Amino acid sequence: MARRTTSNSSGSSPGSAGSPGPRNRTPQPLPRRRRSVGDFVKAFLALVALLVLLIGVPGALALQIGWPLPSGAPTLDWLQQEITVGTFINVLTVVVWLAWAQFTACVLVEMKAALSGVGLPNRVPGAGPSQLLARQLVAALLLVGAAAASFTPGLSQLGQQLEGNQRPAVAAAAQQAPGGLLAQQQEQTAASAAALAEQAAGAAAHAEAEGDTKFYRIQPPEGRHHDSLWEVAERHLGDGRRYKEIYQLNKDHTQPDGSKLSEASLIRPGWIMEMPGDARGGELVEMPDEAPKVSQEVQQQISDYARTGGAHQQGGGQQGGGSGQRGGGSGSLDRDTAHISLPEQRPGADRGHEQGQGQQGGQEHAAPAAGEGSGFGLPQALLGAPLLAAGLLGALGRRRRQALWQSALGAVGGRRGMEPPTPTGAAADAQDALLVGADPEGVRLLDRSLRGLAASLAGESRPLPTVYAAWMSGNGDLHLQLAQPAGKPPTPWQLGQDQTFWTLARADAERYEDVDTAAPYPGLVSLGTMDDSRLLLNLESVPGIVSLSGREQDRAGVFASVAAELATNGWSDRMTITLVGFGEDLTPLAPNRLRHLDDVEALVETMEAETRQRRGALGAAGQDSVLTGRTGPAQHTRWAPHLVLLAAEPSAEDAVKLAELASDASRLGIGYLVGTQSGDLPGAAWEMEITSEGKLLAPLLGLELDAQLLPVSQQRAVVELFTDADPERDDDRPATTPPFLVDISEQGRPAVYARLVGPYEIIGLETPDGERSPLLHEALALLLLHREGVHPRVLSSALWPRGVTDDVRDALVERLRDWLGNDPDGTPRLAADATGRLKLAKSVVSDLDVLRSLYHEATQGRGVGSRAVRGRLLTDALVLVRGPLLAERPAGRYGWLTHEIIDAQLPLLVADIGLALSAFHLEKDRAEKAIEALDAALGSAPGDERLWHELLRATHATGDSDRLKRLAADLVARSGARGLPPRTEALLDELLPTWRSGVAAAG
């Protein structure tokens, strides 16, 4: 079972071999910043530059050029005057004055922020380079003073162009990042534990030698921004990377609320932080000299905390810290900081009832693991991804239905592609894994729950809260983790372990109904599981880039899984997914959603245009983010997310550009997942690592997941399934032969005959006694619809959607084998083939097999050369149609039919038979017989436009114009508000030119 990564779970130092921290960084000691002669030189040069730019430039302009603007009011004569050198110089002078005014404003803004110690300053509109220059000059000037400690990090890199260019993106991302989520940024270089511990001890010794110790009290959240060690280090140490020094000084010390700091990202308002000796800023409390600045209560808390601190706590405190974090179960991590934490697991309202269900209760997640040792191996990646499998299975079914209809509408004579090709090899295994692993009910509940929440909030005129992640627990409950507290959730949602968790029990989710509202969080995507809970990260809401480090082949599996689930999930309406650097082309999964770009340069160009467009659209709509836009009148037009998956590592220059674009991405509904080899990526708000063991690590988020992957081999198999079902595929395949042809002669009478087209009946077998009869009937129906064979795990997942053990499944197979019996030669009528799939003998036949065989023989067999044989075979086939498939089947069973396309195949097959028989009769001018055949086919395929067209032609052939008018009026009435299809209108114009006036008169 996956466990949360902590820096002290084993009692070792953070830098020890057992540390679960990032494994892709080279440890380096962080030097303590000391003022040098170079700093004073820089400060002097900065002062000279500021004097020249702020005083020298305007003085020179005033003395040398004077007033550049005209002395009088503008007139039309100006347009007729000659443009002289003086005019050109005056225009340039105005431009220089404006540039000077903008730079002066930047200097004032940067100076105010530096002296006040409030962190990063506001941006001056349109002054990117000017403000950057002003920031560097002011920083260099103040570097030798006390105020420099609270200014922008990275001042030692003054003059380095790359670092300077990175600042705006990092600053914007830092302003948006709550909690400890931005503790790893592009300029971060991880330090070794020994160096950090030495620095922390040195800082404590230095403070003790000076006779004072500085403390900081974690502030409560303001708006959506939460305090973090990174931001504290930025404000008071001058460099956010020094957050580790604060962490080392305070790790495992008892806080006022009794808890302890055990992870650098997990801090809470009200906690006390001992600071290094060189910390500066107005929010610090320097004990004992500045004790009067704070209340008596805070003084007492600081005094108590100081007594518990020190080196004597480092030994025994680590063990307690580790246990303290896990204490109380997985739900003990209720914190006000916005970080991804595992929700508490509470029993559902009907959990006891489910446990009483015996083998069918509470085993939903056990099903994929069943059969591991039985030789029935299937791709584990798809078995362990229920939401991904459900999305792929649903999309595959839609693709196959679309192919059937397009093939039917474009057919002439025998229809090519009446039967989709049967998957073989790896594709067959992938399809079986999808059938076993899919959880369509979970997808349905997730979609209804999220849309229901959005509808409830809209009804209360409340905005959608920003959701960072969703957890789906083992008992089916849904937990949303919010970026910040958003008040009491609407019923039936409840507050979870703290104010940032909204929880919905599965029993309450099942009572939700479909609502007509936009999908609120379409960017949710599964990353993996931890403690029997599945994490869905909202890529759209991340305040910056999500980076993924690790080996290239391991990263590829994560990227493919994310792309496939986003492209096919059932809880989103529309979205664009841009893929760059993918080895396998995943476009066939969802051509309308997925698009591939060749390189990072094309991506940057595309996203720059997309970012400008979205900013303009939000401004024009008067919305501050896509979340508010989704609940407004434009919810179905502008607010679809755009998710970028960059599997290839960008260059340093491209990385900076992407960081700048991502700084405002969460507000615009754009998400970035970027791969990197080193793990050091500019603008990375959340950093994750995929290991060769399949673990997805994010130490500063407190996550260690069993990653959801889609390896290359399974990517190819899944893409093959979609490619074979592509309706636009242009190949020379002949008309597909049914997978199983029956001997329709008198000698081919079967031993067991099942009637599936209409009410379910079985001839040739005695009805089993007891409660197992419905189960055996259902298993036989599944086998009859899959003559190519059924994997045992597919059979068990179809009959027991919540899962079942191997022995129960094997016992059912044995009972089914005994019930079907043996052929006269002793051959069992149910056996396993070489791949382990269960197959029925040819002596077990269904009416659907006979129906397919009769039509095939009439159109591609003996009926081609004999008109009499064709007419007899088609008539016999139409007689077999008694209604829809498995009519009157018991409620609550046969749920696996939703994964099948037989519901589309059977009406098309019946329509083809009716059309062929109608054509057979019209050849001999037997219009009434043709109408009779078409009416019979319409009973099973009422929506087939081809049947109505042939019925119009057959009715016209009778010469009865009144009858034709009545049929036209009936078609118009059936079409409703949508009106008749264009092809039908064109045919009526040809056969009955006055039909429009006749319909109007009838109306």
Side-chain angles (χ1 to χ4, degrees):
M1 190 72 70
R3 288 291 183 268
R4 181 181 306 277
T5 303
T6 61
S7 58
N8 58 350
S9 57
S10 62
S12 60
S13 66
S16 62
S19 174
R23 307 178 186 181
N24 54 347
R25 301 185 183 273
T26 302
Q28 297 176 359
L30 287 174
R32 294 185 61 183
R33 183 65 181 153
R34 298 183 182 275
R35 303 178 187 89
S36 62
V37 176
D39 292 334
F40 286 95
V41 173
K42 287 181 180 179
F44 175 75
L45 294 177
L47 176 62
V48 172
L50 285 173
L51 291 175
V52 170
L53 293 174
L54 295 180
I55 299 176
V57 170
L61 290 174
L63 293 176
Q64 299 297 325
I65 300 177
W67 183 254
L69 298 178
S71 57
T75 64
L76 294 177
D77 294 338
W78 286 7
L79 301 177
Q80 301 175 359
Q81 294 180 2
E82 181 181 358
I83 299 177
T84 64
V85 175
T87 304
F88 183 71
I89 291 176
N90 286 336
V91 172
L92 289 180
T93 302
V94 172
V95 173
V96 174
W97 273 109
L98 293 175
W100 172 83
Q102 184 189 60
F103 179 75
T104 302
C106 293
V107 172
L108 294 176
V109 169
E110 295 294 331
M111 187 71 73
K112 178 180 180 297
L115 295 176
S116 63
V118 296
L120 293 169
N122 295 324
R123 291 188 181 183
V124 177
S130 297
Q131 188 167 7
L132 178 61
L133 176 60
R135 180 176 305 172
Q136 292 177 331
L137 293 175
V138 172
L141 179 62
L142 298 180
L143 188 63
V144 296
S150 60
F151 201 58
T152 309
L155 297 177
S156 60
Q157 304 301 321
L158 183 64
Q160 296 186 17
Q161 186 63 32
L162 178 60
E163 289 291 322
N165 288 340
Q166 292 179 11
R167 292 290 178 258
V170 177
Q175 289 177 355
Q176 296 183 35
L181 301 181
L182 284 180
Q184 295 180 347
Q185 288 290 354
Q186 80 283 5
E187 61 182 21
Q188 179 181 358
T189 55
S192 64
L196 287 175
E198 182 179 355
Q199 287 181 21
H206 177 69
E208 184 177 356
E210 291 183 349
D212 57 18
T213 305
K214 298 170 184 177
F215 295 90
Y216 175 80
R217 195 166 186 261
I218 302 300
Q219 299 300 307
E222 297 181 3
R224 58 174 293 178
H225 302 289
H226 296 250
D227 215 347
S228 68
L229 293 186
W230 176 277
E231 292 170 335
V232 172
E234 276 188 338
R235 290 196 300 269
H236 302 294
L237 298 177
D239 192 342
R241 293 173 295 179
R242 294 184 62 186
Y243 79 95
K244 296 185 179 181
E245 297 178 40
I246 307 175
Y247 172 67
Q248 290 295 326
L249 281 172
N250 297 274
K251 183 180 63 174
D252 301 321
H253 296 181
T254 303
Q255 294 291 337
D257 61 0
S259 53
K260 297 181 180 181
L261 175 66
S262 57
E263 293 184 22
S265 65
L266 305 181
I267 61 175
R268 302 180 64 183
W271 280 10
I272 307 297
M273 293 290 131
E274 182 180 344
M275 301 293 290
D278 61 341
R280 296 291 186 270
E283 296 173 345
L284 296 179
V285 178
E286 196 164 327
M287 297 292 287
D289 297 338
E290 300 184 8
K293 290 175 56 177
V294 296
S295 65
Q296 186 67 32
E297 179 185 1
V298 175
Q299 290 184 41
Q300 186 62 42
Q301 289 178 353
I302 292 177
S303 299
D304 295 342
Y305 182 76
R307 284 196 297 270
T308 64
H312 64 279
Q313 290 285 341
Q314 298 297 326
Q318 290 192 6
Q319 191 71 22
S323 61
Q325 184 195 9
R326 297 297 301 177
S330 57
S332 64
L333 297 173
D334 52 334
R335 288 174 168 83
D336 295 328
T337 54
H339 106 293
I340 307 302
S341 57
L342 189 65
E344 291 180 346
Q345 304 298 315
R346 296 191 177 109
D350 57 346
R351 189 169 179 84
H353 173 71
E354 289 184 358
Q355 290 175 350
Q357 296 291 324
Q359 294 158 342
Q360 294 191 29
Q363 301 195 30
E364 185 172 354
H365 298 277
E372 282 304 309
S374 58
F376 300 137
L378 289 176
Q380 283 298 316
L382 295 174
L383 291 175
L387 304 184
L388 169 61
L392 288 171
L393 201 58
L396 182 60
R398 291 190 295 272
R399 180 69 53 83
R400 286 173 171 171
R401 288 180 175 85
Q402 183 183 7
L404 285 173
W405 282 107
Q406 289 194 15
S407 183
L409 293 176
V412 178
R415 188 175 84 248
R416 179 180 66 83
M418 184 182 71
E419 298 291 339
T422 301
T424 57
D429 289 339
Q431 178 173 275
D432 288 341
L434 293 177
L435 290 168
V436 174
D439 182 15
E441 180 66 10
V443 172
R444 185 182 67 86
L445 290 179
L446 176 62
D447 181 45
R448 286 188 174 184
S449 300
L450 296 177
R451 293 180 194 267
L453 174 64
S456 299
L457 290 171
E460 299 177 6
S461 299
R462 295 172 59 186
L464 284 168
T466 299
V467 169
Y468 279 148
W471 290 93
M472 297 186 69
S473 62
N475 59 11
D477 294 347
L478 176 62
H479 307 263
L480 297 184
Q481 187 161 0
L482 313 184
Q484 65 173 4
K488 182 179 180 181
T491 306
W493 291 78
Q494 298 178 355
L495 285 175
Q497 60 205 48
D498 59 32
Q499 295 288 325
T500 62
F501 272 97
W502 285 5
T503 300
L504 181 68
R506 182 184 179 97
D508 294 328
E510 290 172 345
R511 289 192 284 269
Y512 264 121
E513 297 180 355
D514 292 328
V515 293
D516 184 19
T517 188
Y521 304 112
L524 286 170
V525 64
S526 303
L527 291 185
T529 57
M530 181 169 71
D531 289 355
D532 199 30
S533 290
R534 183 167 302 277
L535 171 65
L536 288 85
L537 181 67
N538 191 4
L539 284 178
E540 187 186 15
S541 71
V542 177
I545 292 174
V546 179
S547 69
L548 177 67
S549 61
R551 297 188 309 172
E552 183 176 0
Q553 59 268 37
D554 298 324
R555 298 200 315 263
V558 176
F559 273 100
S561 172
V562 169
E565 185 169 300
L566 288 173
T568 61
N569 74 60
W571 54 87
S572 63
D573 299 320
R574 299 178 299 111
M575 69 171 59
T576 300
I577 307 163
T578 299
L579 310 179
V580 182
F582 278 66
E584 295 294 324
D585 188 357
L586 299 175
T587 305
L589 303 185
N592 295 331
R593 286 191 179 184
L594 289 170
R595 66 175 179 181
H596 279 258
L597 295 181
D598 295 334
D599 50 37
V600 183
E601 181 179 356
L603 173 65
V604 171
E605 180 180 355
T606 300
M607 296 315 299
E608 285 177 344
E610 176 80 5
T611 300
R612 288 193 301 268
Q613 180 184 2
R614 292 200 170 215
R615 283 174 179 161
L618 279 178
Q623 306 288 353
D624 59 349
S625 72
V626 295
L627 281 180
T628 54
R630 284 198 184 120
T631 55
Q635 59 176 305
H636 294 293
T637 56
R638 295 177 181 163
W639 315 116
H642 186 164
L643 303 175
V644 176
L645 307 182
L646 175 56
E649 183 170 13
S651 65
E653 181 180 357
D654 290 331
V656 173
K657 294 179 181 178
L658 288 174
E660 182 69 25
L661 289 171
S663 64
D664 196 28
S666 61
R667 186 178 69 90
L668 304 176
I670 302 175
Y672 293 86
L673 178 62
V674 180
T676 173
Q677 186 70 33
S678 63
D680 192 9
L681 192 69
W686 297 350
E687 294 189 341
M688 298 184 295
E689 176 190 359
I690 179 65
T691 70
S692 57
E693 294 81 21
K695 296 291 185 180
L696 191 65
L697 308 178
L700 287 178
L701 300 182
L703 295 178
E704 180 179 344
L705 304 172
D706 293 321
Q708 179 173 297
L709 305 171
L710 188 59
V712 173
S713 59
Q714 295 176 39
Q715 291 178 48
R716 293 171 179 165
V718 170
V719 170
E720 181 182 342
L721 290 173
F722 280 81
T723 303
D724 288 343
D726 187 359
E728 304 296 334
R729 182 175 180 178
D730 185 15
D731 56 19
D732 299 326
R733 289 178 298 177
T736 308
T737 302
F740 178 68
L741 290 175
V742 177
D743 183 0
I744 56 177
S745 65
E746 192 65 28
Q747 292 76 22
R749 185 178 297 274
V752 177
Y753 182 68
R755 306 178 72 179
L756 305 179
V757 185
Y760 191 4
E761 300 176 15
I762 297 179
I763 302 172
L765 292 176
E766 295 183 358
T767 302
D769 296 330
E771 299 177 353
R772 300 189 184 95
S773 179
L775 207 59
L776 292 173
H777 278 74
E778 187 175 357
L780 179 58
L782 178 62
L783 291 166
L784 286 168
L785 292 177
H786 291 276
R787 302 303 304 226
E788 73 278 8
V790 176
H791 198 285
R793 295 183 67 175
V794 173
L795 179 66
S796 63
S797 66
L799 300 180
W800 293 283
R802 291 184 178 273
V804 74
T805 56
D806 292 358
D807 55 344
V808 174
R809 178 198 63 207
D810 295 341
L812 173 75
V813 172
E814 287 302 319
R815 293 190 187 96
L816 184 60
R817 184 178 287 113
D818 293 340
W819 181 42
L820 292 173
N822 301 330
D823 283 333
D825 60 358
T827 304
R829 293 173 181 153
L830 176 64
D833 64 7
T835 65
R837 289 174 171 82
L838 301 172
K839 297 183 67 173
L840 292 172
K842 293 184 177 180
S843 58
V844 182
V845 173
S846 72
D847 55 355
L848 185 59
D849 297 327
V850 177
L851 191 66
R852 288 168 170 161
S853 300
L854 288 171
Y855 178 68
H856 180 268
E857 189 68 19
T859 56
Q860 301 181 47
R862 292 183 294 120
V864 175
S866 173
R867 186 177 185 281
V869 171
R870 182 168 73 255
R872 177 174 57 82
L873 292 174
L874 292 173
T875 302
D876 291 344
L878 201 55
V879 170
L880 290 176
V881 180
R882 302 176 301 122
L885 184 76
L886 293 170
E888 303 175 5
R889 58 180 178 267
R893 304 209 67 89
Y894 297 87
W896 47 270
L897 280 173
T898 58
H899 302 316
E900 306 285 342
I901 62 169
I902 186 62
D903 60 333
Q905 289 177 289
L906 181 58
L908 287 175
L909 177 59
V910 173
D912 283 344
I913 295 172
L915 291 170
L917 188 56
S918 171
F920 171 81
H921 289 305
L922 287 177
E923 289 176 1
K924 296 296 184 179
D925 296 328
R926 295 197 292 263
E928 292 297 338
K929 287 288 188 181
I931 292 173
E932 183 180 344
L934 292 169
D935 285 337
L938 281 168
S940 295
D944 199 314
E945 188 179 357
R946 300 171 302 157
L947 290 175
W948 290 106
H949 290 176
E950 290 305 310
L951 185 58
L952 286 171
R953 293 188 178 96
T955 304
H956 180 265
T958 63
D960 189 343
S961 59
D962 292 337
R963 187 175 181 182
L964 185 59
K965 290 179 181 178
R966 291 194 298 272
L967 179 58
D970 184 34
L971 278 173
V972 171
R974 288 174 179 269
S975 64
R978 295 179 301 174
L980 292 174
R983 292 185 181 182
T984 305
E985 286 190 353
L987 182 59
L988 281 173
D989 289 337
E990 175 188 348
L991 301 179
L992 187 63
T994 61
W995 71 275
R996 299 178 190 274
S997 59
V999 170

